[in-house]
Amino acid sequence: TLTYPADASGDATAMGFTDDLNTMGIAGLTVSGLPSVGEACDADGPGGNLGTGTLSESGGILTFADGTLSPGESCTFSVTLDVPAGAAPGSYINTTSAVSATVEGVTATSAAASDDLNVAGLSFTKEFLGDPVIAGDTATLRFTIENIHPTADATITFFTDSLTAALSGLAATGGPDVDTCGGTLSGTTSLTYTGGGVLSGETCTIEVEVLVPAGTADGSYNNVTSALSATQGGAAVVIDPASDLLVVDSNRLQLTKSFTDDPVAPGDPVTLEFTLTNLDTGEAASDIGFSDDLGAALAGLTFASVLTNDCGATVTGTGTTTITVAGASLGVGGSCIIRTILAVPAAAPAGIYTNTTSDVTGNMSGFAVTGDPASDDLDVIQKLSFS
């Protein structure tokens, strides 16, 4: 990125610098292609005018020449490098020459630019397994370290993970359930991992159960580790932190409903079907229930009978304007249907009547779970008479 101060007295012309990649000490490091500087730097639009500049490479040396920037302009372009598969892990410093330019006939220079290229054959990721999770229940936190380097084994120095930085009270329930990395995991609300390692071309994992505090509000909580420090191929390497969202959601039940054979005439029966679904992928649900105030939608709309009930529920309220469902059960990912017959009052005016249930509630492993209300429209039409 080349930047020219806004308070400069005139255009900077004949701008140039070099970057000798050979000084980095990575044998076999090559340039895979050069951008068109004019295009990459938006020569005809805002953000810089380097359309007159040239960019070339020879023998591992990048050369930029003959660029122009006006006061307040900047420009960014990129060069892609190919790091050889056998490059030793480590941190390699890359420093350009000073940048020179001509301003109002005088040669001006700027300090060199520098950055480190970190070469490592390690990747570091984390994942909460089994979420969304219910407040008060546990999830599995998995760390994965993969050594993609073709020859260099890696020794893990350490990484840390502050669980409470993501969610107050989030804590490990014990030691790791799985640890193929061979190190030591310690701590509860703040985890520290030391030692162990992973051979070239191999992957290792660490898994620990974490408890979500009861009363935690539904939402997504971002949990970020420290960087991973390791030694690989005799060089110290630092791998970027790993992160994942812990999703807390007590809404693990789904209730839908449908008037399946309307439009219906006043005085006729209509079928109302309820479908219950367990959205959780790891827990069965019990004690599922909800209620449906039919009279709130249409005065005199009455629960007449049950046609189908494969939810194991108790359905009460026959002869009244309220249906109450209690004690239903669902296996992991399961669903069930309750079909009822309603009596539409003979004096019902034609119209569209929106009928909405209560929330659906239940229990999973001793923890309360909920789901949103279900709603559907009942379409009442007038009977036709013909004589």
Side-chain angles (χ1 to χ4, degrees), residues 7 20 51 57 100 102 119 180 189 196 202 239 259 282 287 355 360 375:
D7 59 357
D20 188 351
E57 184 267 337
S100 64
T102 300
V119 176
T180 61
T189 59
E202 300 291 333
I239 309 304
F259 291 98
D287 298 326
N355 174 224
V360 58
S375 183

Side-chain angles (χ1 to χ4, degrees), residues 234-368:
V237 293
V238 177
I239 309 304
D240 289 341
S243 66
D244 192 35
L245 292 175
L246 171 63
V247 180
V248 180
D249 186 2
S250 297
N251 295 296
R252 307 311 301 137
L253 298 175
Q254 182 184 73
L255 172 64
T256 61
K257 63 182 295 183
S258 175
F259 291 98
T260 61
D261 49 10
D262 66 335
V264 63
D268 286 349
V270 67
T271 303
L272 175 57
E273 180 177 289
F274 301 97
T275 301
L276 286 166
T277 303
N278 178 6
L279 301 176
D280 200 277
T281 59
E283 295 277 355
S286 60
D287 298 326
I288 303 169
F290 63 92
S291 63
D292 192 349
D293 185 353
L294 306 173
L298 173 60
L301 183 63
T302 305
F303 171 35
S305 63
V306 177
L307 275 180
T308 303
N309 176 10
D310 60 11
C311 298
T314 300
V315 184
T316 58
T318 303
T320 73
T321 60
T322 300
I323 300 174
T324 301
V325 175
S329 298
L330 286 171
V332 175
S335 64
C336 65
I337 293 175
I338 300 171
R339 292 186 180 92
T340 63
I341 296 295
L342 311 183
V344 179
I352 303 295
Y353 300 92
T354 301
N355 174 224
T356 304
T357 70
S358 68
D359 289 345
V360 58
T361 61
N363 184 288
M364 288 182 179
S365 300
F367 302 105

Side-chain angles (χ1 to χ4, degrees), residues 6-250:
D7 59 357
S9 59
D11 290 352
T13 62
M15 184 181 296
F17 67 91
T18 61
D19 191 349
D20 188 351
L21 303 177
N22 301 301
T23 61
M24 298 172 64
I26 304 178
L29 181 68
T30 59
V31 176
S32 62
L34 299 176
S36 169
V37 175
E39 294 177 3
C41 293
D42 192 14
D44 300 321
N49 177 15
L50 292 176
T52 61
T54 61
L55 180 64
S56 60
E57 184 267 337
S58 178
I61 300 175
L62 295 168
T63 300
F64 177 77
D66 297 326
T68 300
L69 281 178
S70 297
E73 289 186 334
S74 66
C75 183
T76 298
F77 61 93
S78 299
V79 176
T80 302
L81 308 181
D82 287 336
V83 180
S91 183
Y92 299 87
I93 190 167
N94 175 228
T95 303
T96 70
S97 69
V99 178
S100 64
T102 300
V103 179
E104 295 186 334
V106 178
T107 299
T109 60
S110 177
S114 182
D115 194 28
D116 292 338
L117 171 63
N118 292 309
V119 176
L122 296 178
S123 69
F124 180 38
T125 59
K126 68 180 295 183
E127 180 182 9
F128 288 99
L129 306 178
D131 67 336
V133 63
I134 304 163
D137 206 351
T138 60
T140 299
L141 174 56
R142 173 187 290 169
F143 303 97
T144 301
I145 302 172
E146 181 181 8
N147 186 350
I148 59 177
H149 199 280
T151 58
D153 298 339
T155 299
I156 301 167
T157 305
F158 78 93
F159 67 86
T160 61
D161 191 351
S162 176
L163 302 177
T164 54
L167 172 61
S168 178
L170 183 65
T173 60
D177 299 314
V178 175
D179 183 4
T180 61
C181 298
T184 301
L185 181 70
S186 59
T188 53
T189 59
S190 183
L191 304 177
T192 299
Y193 192 83
T194 56
V198 56
L199 300 176
S200 64
E202 300 291 333
T203 298
C204 69
T205 59
I206 305 140
E207 294 182 4
V208 60
E209 293 292 310
V210 294
L211 176 64
V212 177
T216 298
D218 289 350
S220 297
Y221 300 88
N222 191 26
N223 179 220
V224 184
T225 70
S226 70
L228 167 69
S229 295
T231 301
Q232 190 174 28
V237 293
V238 177
I239 309 304
D240 289 341
S243 66
D244 192 35
L245 292 175
L246 171 63
V247 180
V248 180
D249 186 2
S250 297

